[in-house]
Amino acid sequence: MKIRSALAALAVTLATAFSAGPASAQETFTLRLAETWGANFPIFGDASKNMAAMAEKMSNGRLKIRIDSANKHKAALGVFDMVKAGQYDMGHSASYYWKGKVPNTLFFTSMPFGMTADEQYAWFYHGGGMELMQEVYEPHNMLSFPGGNTGVQMGGWFRKEIKSLEDLKGLKMRIPGFQGEVFAEVGVNPTNIAPGELYTALERGTIDAVEWVGPALDLRLGFQQIADYYYTGWHEPATELQFLVNQKVWDKLPADLKEILRVSMRTAAYDMLIHSVHENSKAWATIQEKHPNVQIKNFPDDVLTAMVKANDKLLAEAAKGDAQAKKIIDSQAMYLKNTRNYTDISLRAYLNTMAKLNE
């Protein structure tokens, strides 16, 4: 019996050792991450740094992530290609930047008139969004994970007030993604410019208006010194950044480090959302106090109506010509319909109640 027990124990030990795969439990991995943002870029850059710090701490130093910012790798909008090719192991950027390469990537950042941050996170993790995103990225040798949310973004800075749809005709504006296509439908000339070039482009008149993020990041770039009209958002109600991981690199990681990396990315993404809320609140108070020239505006009704029609038209065209796009669009629409019913009787009802009480 003792011999049999000893042999059984040995078998368990050997099975455990071999099931761990080629990587030793003590083997260390150092991954290189390319981010779209410049060195020490606030909030966005903090998300990637927080993720790397958590992964290293939880792995007891077995998983280290070295971050190269855009000023080092010199390709702010080249992160997709670099991670796909294996030049970098990971990336931190925004999925809609790649619509020119892979059109269906744009659905995983934020869609005009779409889900709020909590609704969108629910879709990702409980409504099939992660699976659909992986369908899009898998052919490109990558995995994509939510990488941090800004919440509702502001509608942009304009030198001149937008009083009607006619004021948008021929306007040159930095606005990426599907929302740029919507603006194009109503006469705007949209363009995408790397973050580090936005202030200069607006200052020199290369563009007439710029949409970036919200008070915290906009204030740092100084748009309030150039443009007086700050419009509320409709186009990016839940702007989600992304962590990209090269598939071959992911496959080489042992199971425990994969889970540590997954948890670190998910936690850093949530932290970025609450960090955005905090910093935007502070920055808006600063703008109100120190920059009285800034006027908050809503887009006129005719503009919003035209953009809703343009958005619906473009979604229908995308769904008609691409089965994968249709599957994503239908999934988002159905999830939004269901979750918005609850949002209306909970969050919206609460905010309306508070507004009445504060009148």
Side-chain angles (χ1 to χ4, degrees):
M1 291 294 292
K2 290 182 179 179
I3 294 175
R4 185 177 298 174
S5 297
L7 288 173
L10 177 60
V12 171
T13 301
L14 290 173
T16 301
F18 283 112
S19 67
S24 164
Q26 298 305 313
E27 188 176 355
T28 61
F29 294 80
T30 299
L31 308 183
R32 296 179 64 221
L33 180 150
E35 61 182 2
T36 290
W37 337 115
N40 299 315
F41 195 85
I43 303 178
F44 289 18
D46 293 334
S48 52
K49 290 182 181 69
N50 290 342
M51 182 276 297
M54 283 187 279
E56 183 168 351
K57 185 173 183 179
M58 287 192 290
S59 67
N60 291 321
R62 290 172 52 219
L63 180 59
K64 301 179 188 295
I65 298 169
R66 300 290 177 252
I67 299 171
D68 283 355
S69 301
N71 54 298
K72 183 171 183 178
H73 58 68
K74 307 297 183 183
L77 299 179
V79 172
F80 180 99
D81 290 331
M82 292 189 292
V83 177
K84 178 177 180 177
Q87 184 178 349
Y88 279 88
D89 305 308
M90 298 182 66
H92 191 232
S93 192
S95 192
Y96 62 10
Y97 289 156
W98 324 129
K99 75 181 184 73
K101 303 175 185 294
V102 185
N104 289 343
T105 58
L106 66 86
F107 296 110
F108 304 106
T109 303
S110 188
M111 294 300 290
F113 308 107
M115 291 179 275
T116 62
D118 51 352
E119 291 168 340
Q120 185 167 277
Y121 272 133
W123 175 71
F124 271 124
Y125 288 111
H126 299 283
M130 291 292 289
E131 291 79 6
L132 289 169
M133 183 161 61
Q134 188 51 30
E135 276 189 33
V136 172
Y137 279 92
E138 188 171 5
H140 302 280
N141 190 41
M142 286 183 286
L143 296 91
S144 178
F145 299 86
N149 204 293
T150 66
V152 180
Q153 290 201 2
M154 294 294 288
W157 296 85
F158 293 74
R159 288 178 176 273
K160 297 181 180 179
E161 185 177 359
I162 305 302
K163 297 179 180 179
S164 70
L165 193 59
E166 193 63 30
D167 292 330
L168 291 176
K169 306 296 184 183
L171 193 81
K172 294 174 293 184
M173 183 176 184
R174 183 273 177 191
I175 184 165
F178 198 78
Q179 47 271 29
E181 297 179 28
V182 172
F183 257 132
E185 285 287 316
V186 298
V188 173
N189 293 325
T191 186
N192 191 15
I193 301 173
E197 303 168 17
L198 294 178
Y199 180 89
T200 301
L202 185 63
E203 182 184 40
R204 294 179 179 177
T206 305
I207 53 178
D208 303 307
V210 58
E211 176 275 336
W212 180 220
V213 181
L217 294 178
D218 293 4
L219 182 65
R220 291 172 181 268
L221 291 184
F223 301 134
Q224 71 281 356
Q225 300 171 10
I226 307 172
D228 291 341
Y229 301 100
Y230 198 21
Y231 278 80
T232 56
W234 56 274
H235 62 303
E236 294 188 47
T239 307
E240 188 67 40
L241 304 185
Q242 70 175 163
F243 287 114
L244 287 171
V245 185
N246 180 279
Q247 181 72 60
K248 293 180 180 178
V249 171
W250 177 264
D251 291 342
K252 290 179 182 178
L253 294 176
D256 65 325
L257 294 189
K258 286 180 182 176
E259 192 60 24
I260 285 171
L261 183 56
R262 195 193 312 271
V263 170
S264 298
M265 291 187 290
R266 186 165 177 172
T267 305
Y270 173 74
D271 283 350
M272 186 185 138
L273 174 60
I274 57 176
H275 190 192
S276 295
V277 172
H278 175 70
E279 294 297 336
N280 280 327
S281 301
K282 287 177 23 181
W284 174 237
T286 299
I287 291 175
Q288 287 180 299
E289 179 184 353
K290 297 183 178 180
H291 302 282
N293 60 298
V294 174
Q295 301 179 47
I296 293 294
K297 295 286 184 177
N298 299 320
F299 285 105
D301 289 346
D302 67 328
V303 170
L304 291 171
T305 298
M307 289 193 289
V308 167
K309 291 180 179 178
N311 184 66
D312 291 345
K313 173 192 171 186
L314 291 171
L315 285 175
E317 290 174 355
K320 183 178 180 181
D322 186 326
Q324 186 181 65
K326 184 179 188 307
K327 184 162 60 170
I328 298 168
I329 291 167
D330 288 349
S331 174
Q332 290 184 331
M334 183 59 68
Y335 203 83
L336 174 59
K337 179 181 178 181
N338 292 336
T339 56
R340 188 57 55 84
N341 285 333
Y342 178 66
T343 299
D344 284 340
I345 67 163
S346 57
L347 181 59
R348 191 196 303 273
Y350 170 73
L351 293 176
N352 288 343
T353 296
M354 293 305 298
K356 290 179 180 178
L357 290 174
N358 291 324
E359 287 179 353

